[in-house]
């Protein structure tokens, strides 16, 4: 059976399957060059999760099963302050943005966007698509949709 678009697997599941990195397509807003950026899965997840936990006022804990029991469904998560990447081609700083696909949101590299804190770059249409594919609430503001995506990706 084929995997559902936008289906998410746990970080532990990805690591157990031998996945050690995640790749995303990015482009430089200065020189226009497109390239791929690779993130270490374990380190990036730890950093990102710590940011989201601190934003929500929760304690950072590596045991996600315990976190699931203590989380309130009404928690509102937001993206961390955006830090754009640096371009390898033109050597400019803070100018690299993710490439997202509004017309084909199933092509978005959701885990990459989550780990970089770049979900704000997605349109409401893309976020609704992700939420629909994962049986999450698809109504509300962009911030509420981002919160739904973060909550789904967090575990």
């Amino acid at each position: 059976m084929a995997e559902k678009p936008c289906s998410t697997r746990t970080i532990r599941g990805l690591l157990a399957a031998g996945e050690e990195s995640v790749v995303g397509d990015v482009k430089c807003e200065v020189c226009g060059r497109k390239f791929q950026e690779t993130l270490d899965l374990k380190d990036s997840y730890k950093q990102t999760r710590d940011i989201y936990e601190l934003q929500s006022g929760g304690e950072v804990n590596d045991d996600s099963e315990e976190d699931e029991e203590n989380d309130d469904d009404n928690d509102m998560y937001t993206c961390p302050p955006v830090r754009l990447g640096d371009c390898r081609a033109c050597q400019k700083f803070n100018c690299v943005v993710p490439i997202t696909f509004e017309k084909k949101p199933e092509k978005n590299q959701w885990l990459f966007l989550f780990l970089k804190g770049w979900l704000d770059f997605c349109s409401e249409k893309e976020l609704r698509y992700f939420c629909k594919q994962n049986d999450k609430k698809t109504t509300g503001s962009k911030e509420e949709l981002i919160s739904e995506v973060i909550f789904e990706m967090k575990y």
Side-chain angles (χ1 to χ4, degrees):
M1 187 164 125
E3 222 176 82
K4 202 169 150 182
C6 299
S7 61
T8 56
R9 294 176 12 194
T10 66
I11 298 296
R12 288 183 182 147
L14 290 169
L15 291 170
E19 299 285 335
E20 294 180 2
S21 60
V22 61
V23 177
D25 295 320
V26 296
K27 68 180 174 189
C28 177
E29 290 189 319
V30 175
C31 70
R33 180 114 186 248
K34 296 178 182 179
F35 53 95
Q36 289 188 323
E37 187 174 330
T38 304
L39 301 174
D40 178 87
L41 192 58
K42 195 173 188 175
D43 290 342
S44 295
Y45 179 67
K46 173 95 173 95
Q47 291 171 358
T48 304
R49 185 163 176 245
D50 289 353
I51 289 169
Y52 291 128
E53 288 292 330
L54 292 173
Q55 279 187 342
S56 69
E59 291 183 21
V60 178
N61 185 341
D62 285 334
D63 187 3
S64 62
E65 289 177 22
E66 188 177 309
D67 285 346
E68 284 183 47
E69 293 171 10
N70 294 333
D71 269 335
D72 183 354
D73 285 339
N74 295 325
D75 278 349
M76 185 71 162
Y77 295 97
T78 58
C79 283
V82 176
R83 164 67 168 90
L84 302 181
D86 303 330
C87 183
R88 300 186 304 223
C90 69
Q91 306 301 316
K92 300 289 182 193
F93 301 105
N94 207 25
C95 59
V96 173
V97 297
I99 297 173
T100 60
F101 302 92
E102 185 165 1
K103 292 187 177 167
K104 294 191 175 216
E106 69 275 7
K107 293 180 94 179
N108 280 346
Q109 295 131 333
W110 292 100
L111 183 57
F112 177 78
L113 294 170
F114 168 73
L115 292 174
K116 289 289 283 186
W118 284 355
L119 290 170
D120 272 336
F121 284 97
C122 296
S123 68
E124 285 186 41
K125 179 181 175 183
E126 292 168 304
L127 295 166
R128 279 192 179 86
Y129 179 85
F130 179 93
C131 290
K132 181 179 178 185
Q133 295 300 317
N134 287 284
D135 301 320
K136 298 291 180 191
K137 184 179 114 179
T138 60
T139 58
S141 68
K142 183 174 181 178
E143 290 76 24
E144 291 172 319
L145 295 170
I146 287 173
S147 183
E148 291 288 334
V149 173
I150 290 169
F151 191 77
E152 178 68 20
M153 300 290 283
K154 186 177 155 192
Y155 301 108

